[in-house]
Each structure stands twice: as C-alpha cells, then as structure tokens.
Amino acid sequence: MHIMAFNGSPRKNGNTSTIIRAILEGAKSAGAETTEVVLDEIEMKGCMGCLSCRKNHGVCARQDALSPYLEDIKESAGIIVGCPIYMYRMGGQIKLLVDRMYSLYPPGREGGYGTAVPAGKTYGLVVSQGAPDPDQYKRSIRWLAGMTGTGLGMEEVGRIIHADSYERPAKDHPELLAEAHRLGRRMLRVE
Ligand SMILES: Cc1cc2nc3c(=O)[nH]c(=O)nc-3n(C[C@H](O)[C@H](O)[C@H](O)COP(=O)(O)O)c2cc1C
C-alpha cells in the first residue's frame, strides 16, 4: 500500500512539511510505504496547454520530473496534497501540479469530466496559513480539495488547516501533529 504526498511548500522544515511528515509517519505505522514529492525540489514545469490529454486520456504529454509521479497516483492507495497560502491563494508550486492534473480528467461520456484515477483511493489535505481564521480561505481550500482529490473520485479522509502559523508553528503544536498522525492511519482506512 503506497501513500504519496505532494508537498507544495519550499520550506523543508516548515509547517506544511512538518505536518505532512507526521501524516506519513501515521501511514507508515499502519503499514504503508510512503513517498514525499517536494515540488520545489524537482524539475517540473506547468501545463503547456497542448490538450493532448483530451485525446490521450490520463496521460500528460509534458515529460519532466513530475511525469512518473503523475503516473504513480493511479497505482497508489491514496494521496496527500499540502501547501501554504501565499497572497490569499494556494502557493504557486501546487498550482503547477493542479494544472498538470488536468490530464487525469478525461472528457466525460455525457459532457463534463470523468477520471483516469481508479476508484477506492483515499485523500488528505494540508494547508498552512499565517491568518488566524481557519475559514478565511475556505473557498480556495474547497477548490483545491475538489481539483486534486474528490473531483478525481478519491475519498477525503481528513484535512488539516493549520492557521495562525506565525504564533503557533506546527512543530510546537503536539495536538495538531497527533491529529496528523491519525490522519495518516486513516489514509489506509485504519482508525
Ligand atoms: C509570499 C508569502 C505570501 C503569504 N501570503 C499569505 C496570505 O495571503 N495569507 C496568510 O494567511 N498567510 C500568508 N503567508 C504566510 C504563510 O502562509 C505561512 O507562513 C505558512 O505557515 C507557511 O507555510 P510553510 O511553513 O509550510 O511554508 C504568506 C507567506 C509568504 C512567504
């Protein structure tokens, strides 16, 4: 059982990274193999708008360091997507991933979109923000969870919105990290 995490924070020991690692520890404790993809550390580019994925369903024609990980999503037991809020929206690294995930949305039989991701996968979301109100960016967060998880047919088993990060960094927040660990176990449907 393979759980993958896509980390959109450029900070190796920042909040998103700390929370994602706690989730992955939880997943490992339930028997998962895990991979963390730090998007800022790989040579990836954005969608090139070629629309080849409208014909070649489920495959992104852009070949770069992200390509194998996009393929691995289809084989995984579940994915975690995490990022900081920058300038009132998701950080740019995660937007590059979202756009490339368009390739996982083939045209639907009766219009709209289908999914190239086999059914039965779990999904977890992590967002870290400086603002204290966890609802402040809820529309952006709903969009992110939809585009990268539930819209592809995955079951969201938990989300962590880490607010007020300047006052309370994740590393100093044992309750939050315990919640993250539990979320990791839920990724394998172990409560
Ligand atoms: C360029 C930049 C823009 C930011 N914009 C926002 C913002 O609009 N709203 C907010 O709540 N926090 C904002 N922050 C704060 C980050 O979201 C916050 O520090 C977060 O915990 C960083 O996550 P990380 O430690 O995982 O990188 C911004 C930080 C940076 C560097």
Side-chain angles (χ1 to χ4, degrees):
M1 300 283 260
H2 185 205
I3 299 294
M4 300 178 71
F6 291 93
N7 183 350
S9 172
R11 299 198 323 135
K12 272 187 184 150
N13 296 309
N15 298 292
T16 308
S17 302
T18 301
I19 297 165
I20 284 179
R21 275 165 218 153
I23 296 174
L24 293 180
E25 283 306 314
K28 276 186 208 156
S29 78
E33 285 171 40
T34 63
T35 302
E36 181 187 2
V37 185
V38 181
L39 298 174
D40 197 58
E41 288 182 354
I42 65 170
E43 292 297 323
M44 69 172 281
K45 292 187 171 170
C47 168
M48 55 187 177
C50 68
L51 298 181
S52 116
C53 60
R54 298 306 85 202
K55 293 190 181 118
N56 195 9
H57 299 158
V59 180
C60 178
R62 176 143 242 170
Q63 287 299 313
D64 63 7
L66 184 68
S67 308
Y69 299 120
L70 278 178
E71 283 301 311
D72 287 349
I73 291 173
K74 298 171 194 164
E75 313 296 327
S76 71
I79 69 164
I80 297 147
V81 170
C83 68
I85 295 286
Y86 281 178
M87 310 302 274
Y88 281 58
R89 293 287 182 270
M90 304 302 135
Q93 287 89 340
I94 214 78
K95 182 63 165 64
L96 294 183
L97 173 69
V98 175
D99 294 353
R100 295 283 295 278
M101 286 175 100
Y102 185 49
S103 60
L104 300 175
Y105 283 96
R109 286 206 191 106
E110 292 164 16
Y113 294 98
T115 177
V117 178
K121 302 189 191 306
T122 54
Y123 175 83
L125 179 70
V126 177
V127 174
S128 182
Q129 62 182 58
D133 177 2
D135 287 334
Q136 180 153 346
Y137 306 109
K138 69 178 178 191
R139 288 186 63 192
S140 294
I141 291 169
R142 193 189 313 140
W143 167 84
L144 181 65
M147 287 293 147
T148 59
T150 48
L152 289 167
M154 300 183 213
E155 182 194 353
E156 185 178 322
V157 294
R159 69 173 66 172
I160 293 183
I161 311 302
H162 170 234
D164 214 5
S165 65
Y166 295 119
E167 288 301 314
R168 197 146 192 218
K171 67 178 175 47
D172 300 332
H173 203 328
E175 302 88 1
L176 187 85
L177 296 179
E179 187 189 338
H181 194 273
R182 284 193 298 274
L183 170 52
R185 293 178 65 79
R186 284 204 302 280
M187 292 297 296
L188 290 192
R189 303 183 195 280
V190 175
E191 292 300 320

